[in-house]
């Protein structure tokens, strides 16, 4: 008889989802690149299709034949099993071929034409563009509420009709303004339409923020960032407590054809085991750098969760974040010229979009990651000309600090 132990996430992520006996005993999973799978019988094929199309549910312990890699494949199944223990409260997950594929599939699945979406603002530029350029023309109404405005969000939720979904991106990219996940969930779940609460947890999860425990229904990731961690892989993940929600997403994914490919699943599988290690080191580095630079004369404002001053932002941080994370946003004196000069002067952090990798990256959000936003949206969110977003990696924080200080001193 096999003994079954309840283990902690760091252990589960190394042991769950993979049975070496299914891969000729190899200690690490094989990559199954096959596009199609041979059925054990025509009856099994029919049964697999019934289940894949949601016409039947698998019986407990039933072995269902794989069909075709657009629907699912062994490496996706493996990484989906493996990622679940990292997200507190999750029961199931679906993997996509980018963060945008994950987020857009959530909207396509749960927001029919005529429905309403309430969301925090700012959102990552790609998400905002998806809402404005694709969802709105399809007849979905969107209502934006400033990040951090708990009462405004509850009012917007309460006033919305045909409310399908509430999207909370917290901390917001790139301003790091936090929104109260629990308050949003309470307001949404009190609404007669029972909208889903979806949290984009890319900046702090899964190590430091746990939306499902705070009442959210779905958690989305750009797994391109901390989950994969080496800036060499595009991926997206959605997790939920309710397996049926993930089942519906898998249905959308099969139609859109945006499942994560076997090789990328295999890479992500190897990376997930170090997520807590990497995120802890990156957060510690960032905390030291932020504390050392906060009073630099070239900086108008240094935004970092551990250094928040606004009482409401501190309250949200203390309630829902275990650690401050590894993104520091600098508002530099001198606007765009100062920001560009600063970016040009850096020698360790590279001037690139994206974040969450082991190497430090810096970018100018107003002209890059958030250039999809209108000038009004940018100004309203406080994404200024002098703003630079810094994603802190695992380099020596002493070296990073020296490099950043030299670049800032040149401005001052
Ligand atoms: C908060 C957030 N959500 C979603 C995305 C989109 O993810 P991807 O680039 O993997 O499609 C990003 C990308 O920068 C992001 O920062």
């Amino acid at each position: 008889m096999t003994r079954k132990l309840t283990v902690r996430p760091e252990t589960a992520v190394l042991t769950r989802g993979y049975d070496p006996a299914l891969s000729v005993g190899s200690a690490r999973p094989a990559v199954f690149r096959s596009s199609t799978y041979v059925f054990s019988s025509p009856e099994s094929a029919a049964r697999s299709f019934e289940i894949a199309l949601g016409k039947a549910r698998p019986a407990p312990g039933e072995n269902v034949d794989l069909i075709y890699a657009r629907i699912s494949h062994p490496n996706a199944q493996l990484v989906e099993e493996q990622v679940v223990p990292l997200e507190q409260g999750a029961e199931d997950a679906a993997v996509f071929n980018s963060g945008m594929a994950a987020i857009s599939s959530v909207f396509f699945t749960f927001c029919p034409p005529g429905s309403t979406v309430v969301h925090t603002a700012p959102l990552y530029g790609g998400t905002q563009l998806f809402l404005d350029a694709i969802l709105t023309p399809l007849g979905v109404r969107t209502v934006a509420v400033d990040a951090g405005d708990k009462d405004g969000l509850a009012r917007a939720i309460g006033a919305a009709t045909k409310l399908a979904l509430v999207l909370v991106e917290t901390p917001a990219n790139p301003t790091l303004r936090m929104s109260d996940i629990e308050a949003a969930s309470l307001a949404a779940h009190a609404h007669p339409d029972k909208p889903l609460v979806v949290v984009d947890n890319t900046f702090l999860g899964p190590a430091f923020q746990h939306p499902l425990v705070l009442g959210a229904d779905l958690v989305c990731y750009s797994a391109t960032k901390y989950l994969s961690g080496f800036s060499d892989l595009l991926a997206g993940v959605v997790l939920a407590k309710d397996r049926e929600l993930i089942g519906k997403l898998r249905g959308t994914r099969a139609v859109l054809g945006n499942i994560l490919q076997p090789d990328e699943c295999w890479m992500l599988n190897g990376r997930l085991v170090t997520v807590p290690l990497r995120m802890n080191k990156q957060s510690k580095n960032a905390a030291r750098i932020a504390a050392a630079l906060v009073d630099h004369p070239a900086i108008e404002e240094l935004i970092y969760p551990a250094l928040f001053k606004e009482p409401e932002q501190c309250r949200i941080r203390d309630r829902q974040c275990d650690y401050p994370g590894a993104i520091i946003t600098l508002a530099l004196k001198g606007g765009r010229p100062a920001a560009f000069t600063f970016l040009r002067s850096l020698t360790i952090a590279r001037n690139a979009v994206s974040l969450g990798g082991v190497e430090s990256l810096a970018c100018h959000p107003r002209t890059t990651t958030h250039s999809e936003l209108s000038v009004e949206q940018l100004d309203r969110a406080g994404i200024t000309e002098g703003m630079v977003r810094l994603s802190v990696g695992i380099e020596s924080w002493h070296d990073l600090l020296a490099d950043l200080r030299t670049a800032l001193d040149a401005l001052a």
Side-chain angles (χ1 to χ4, degrees), residues 66 72 89 93 154 309 346 393:
L66 284 163
S72 196
K309 290 204 182 79
L346 295 174

Side-chain angles (χ1 to χ4, degrees), residues 98-100 103 124 169 173 200 202-203 222 224-225 234-235 355:
S98 70
M100 282 313 300
I103 290 168
Y124 163 61
E169 184 183 291
N173 181 358
D200 185 329
T202 299
F203 270 37
S222 166
T224 314
K225 314 296 193 278
L234 286 174
L355 56 103

Side-chain angles (χ1 to χ4, degrees), residues 179-230:
S179 297
D180 186 328
I181 298 168
E182 190 173 34
S185 303
L186 286 172
H189 295 151
H191 193 285
D193 298 338
K194 301 285 171 228
L196 293 177
V197 176
V198 180
V199 174
D200 185 329
N201 207 27
T202 299
F203 270 37
L204 284 182
F208 305 147
Q209 183 170 267
H210 318 292
L212 297 176
V213 176
L214 296 168
D217 300 290
L218 290 168
V219 171
C220 290
Y221 286 99
S222 166
T224 314
K225 314 296 193 278
Y226 292 102
L227 289 180
S228 66
F230 288 81

Side-chain angles (χ1 to χ4, degrees), residues 236-307:
V237 179
V238 183
L239 297 113
K241 299 178 254 210
D242 181 349
R243 290 174 183 274
E244 271 194 31
L245 296 177
I246 297 296
K248 286 183 183 162
L249 279 170
R250 289 201 184 108
T252 305
R253 185 180 71 179
V255 175
L256 295 179
N258 55 10
I259 191 169
L260 190 63
Q261 298 283 312
D263 288 285
E264 277 74 15
C265 287
W266 183 87
M267 286 170 74
L268 185 57
N269 170 267
R271 304 294 174 69
L272 287 180
V273 300
T274 57
V275 170
L277 289 177
R278 286 185 276 106
M279 289 190 78
N280 273 301
K281 169 75 175 161
Q282 288 173 261
S283 180
K284 279 183 186 153
N285 273 359
R288 286 174 167 138
I289 290 166
L293 292 181
V294 66
D295 294 321
H296 195 284
I299 300 175
E300 199 163 275
E301 188 187 2
L302 182 148
I303 308 170
Y304 184 64
L307 303 173

Side-chain angles (χ1 to χ4, degrees), residues 337-411:
F340 281 18
T341 304
F342 174 75
L343 289 171
R344 258 192 293 273
S345 314
L346 295 174
T347 60
I348 298 178
R350 303 241 156 84
N351 177 204
V353 297
S354 205
L355 56 103
V358 289
E359 70 291 300
S360 297
L361 299 177
C363 72
H364 184 247
R366 194 167 167 113
T367 51
T368 60
T369 53
H370 290 71
S371 55
E372 292 95 340
L373 274 61
S374 67
V375 171
E376 293 73 40
Q377 285 170 327
L378 288 165
D379 290 344
R380 175 154 193 172
I383 303 170
T384 60
E385 291 285 358
M387 189 170 269
V388 170
R389 187 189 73 193
L390 175 67
S391 169
V392 177
I394 63 166
E395 303 92 342
S396 153
W397 68 272
H398 300 278
D399 294 338
L400 275 174
L401 178 60
D403 188 33
L404 292 161
R405 198 172 258 149
T406 306
L408 288 168
D409 288 349
L411 293 180

